[in-house]
Amino acid sequence: MKKAIKWIVIVVVLLIVLGVSLVLMNLDRIIKTVVESQGSAQLQVATKLGGAKLSILGGDLALNDFSVGSPKGFKAEQMLALGKAHVAVSYGDLRGDPVRVGIIELESPKLVIEQSDLKLNFKALMDQLPKGEPAPAPTEPAGESKPLKLIIDQINISGAEVVIMPGIPGMDAALTIPIPKMSIKNIGNSDGAANGAALRDVVMQVITGMASEAANSDKLPAPVKALLKGNVSDVANQLGGAFKEQIGAKLGDLGDGVGKAAGDILQGKSPTTQDISGAAGDLLKGFGGQKKDKK
């Protein structure tokens, strides 16, 4: 009798474990589908996720091989590629609207920055996004097509690198810039309203944050540094809120005319004196007018 009870208990436990595993596998597939479909719809470029794995005990969601394609007119297949991400989240959080997340750890992301048609790729991506609410994912079931929004306490980024491609004025060869550990805080709740940030805005904050760190690198020629800062400043202004303040603190006071001055240089124009502030003046040193021979 005792043996029979023992085996019954073992079978019940195995069935429970099997049932939980099947549920988690289904959740993993759902998460992968939602991230890909919502990302592609909101960003309007190809967004892929290699896989998702929700911990059987809860508390951790692992995302592998997340990537964001380049906007039209740019050569890189992937503008942003992410090796791994770990998300501190509970089952209940995943069902919320907006989804609430504690901390996201991003490992070894790679951002490729290139220029086409007088624009840097991340600025071109931001400019092509529609104003207001992002587009719903077409694959979502009827009545459940609301865009995914998130409230994130903090995103920690480590092991990142930014690759600046040739073609940008002042860049003759590709340059890889290692990015120090960085954090982006209070996403989707900077005003206390808890409305959440659209997935596209979260991705754009990560991209722009990495670009801002690259813009401060001593490896960059001064004109390229000023051009990059101008584009970062423009995108941060469009994203607004607490993120704009965080990026402003990293870049310093560039003045309102930096983005315009950077754009003028790409078009071969000479910015007016009032358009140039701080580091943007280096643009003229690199490209403005002809250098005079030293006597």
Side-chain angles (χ1 to χ4, degrees):
M1 183 68 177
K2 288 183 178 180
K3 280 189 175 181
I5 294 174
K6 176 183 177 181
W7 281 109
I8 290 173
V9 171
I10 291 174
V11 170
V12 170
V13 170
L14 288 175
L15 288 173
I16 292 173
V17 171
L18 178 61
V20 171
S21 298
L22 290 173
V23 169
L24 287 176
M25 287 175 62
N26 191 45
L27 278 175
D28 292 345
R29 286 195 294 270
I30 292 173
I31 292 169
K32 180 180 183 296
T33 300
V34 169
V35 171
E36 288 186 333
S37 61
Q38 290 270 355
S40 297
Q42 292 191 27
L43 288 163
Q44 299 188 351
V45 293
T47 304
K48 297 179 181 179
L49 180 64
K53 186 69 175 179
L54 188 61
S55 169
I56 192 169
L57 298 177
D60 181 74
L61 169 64
L63 304 175
N64 298 314
D65 299 324
F66 176 75
S67 65
V68 176
S70 294
K72 187 177 180 180
F74 293 88
K75 296 179 181 179
E77 182 178 353
Q78 298 175 344
M79 181 172 67
L80 176 69
L82 175 62
K84 294 181 180 180
H86 291 278
V87 184
V89 67
S90 69
Y91 298 131
D93 291 335
L94 290 174
R95 299 177 62 184
D97 183 18
V99 175
R100 291 180 175 270
V101 176
I103 297 176
I104 299 179
E105 301 283 350
L106 302 184
E107 299 177 11
S108 305
K110 177 181 177 181
L111 172 65
V112 176
I113 296 179
E114 55 181 333
Q115 180 264 331
S116 178
D117 293 332
L118 309 179
K119 277 189 179 181
L120 298 186
N121 54 353
F122 65 94
K123 176 71 162 57
L125 179 58
M126 188 69 199
D127 288 346
Q128 78 176 20
L129 298 180
K131 307 301 180 185
E133 286 291 305
T139 57
E140 293 295 312
E144 298 182 12
S145 58
K146 292 177 64 177
L148 175 64
K149 290 190 174 183
L150 304 101
I151 293 176
I152 306 170
D153 293 337
Q154 185 166 315
I155 298 178
N156 296 326
I157 302 174
S158 61
E161 62 181 22
V162 174
V163 180
I164 312 292
M165 298 299 290
I168 297 173
M171 293 297 300
D172 297 325
L175 176 64
T176 298
I177 301 173
I179 302 301
K181 289 183 179 180
M182 58 175 291
S183 297
I184 303 172
K185 300 179 180 180
N186 206 17
I187 300 168
N189 192 29
S190 60
D191 57 359
N195 293 324
L199 178 60
R200 69 177 187 191
D201 294 331
V202 176
V203 173
M204 287 307 305
Q205 287 189 29
V206 170
I207 290 174
T208 309
M210 291 175 62
S212 72
E213 292 288 347
N216 286 321
S217 172
D218 292 335
K219 292 185 177 183
L220 283 177
V224 179
K225 181 183 291 190
L227 175 64
L228 187 52
K229 284 189 174 185
N231 278 259
V232 167
S233 180
D234 285 344
V235 175
N237 285 336
Q238 288 176 265
L239 290 168
F243 180 72
K244 176 183 174 182
E245 296 177 5
Q246 290 179 58
I247 293 299
K250 289 179 180 293
L251 296 182
D253 185 11
L254 296 180
D256 295 333
V258 174
K260 181 180 183 302
D264 286 345
I265 289 300
L266 279 177
Q267 298 178 56
K269 300 176 182 178
S270 294
T272 60
T273 303
Q274 58 265 34
D275 285 335
I276 302 166
S277 175
D282 290 330
L283 287 165
L284 288 182
K285 296 176 184 177
F287 303 110
Q290 296 181 346
K291 295 183 180 179
K292 295 182 180 179
D293 295 331
K294 292 183 179 180
K295 293 183 179 180

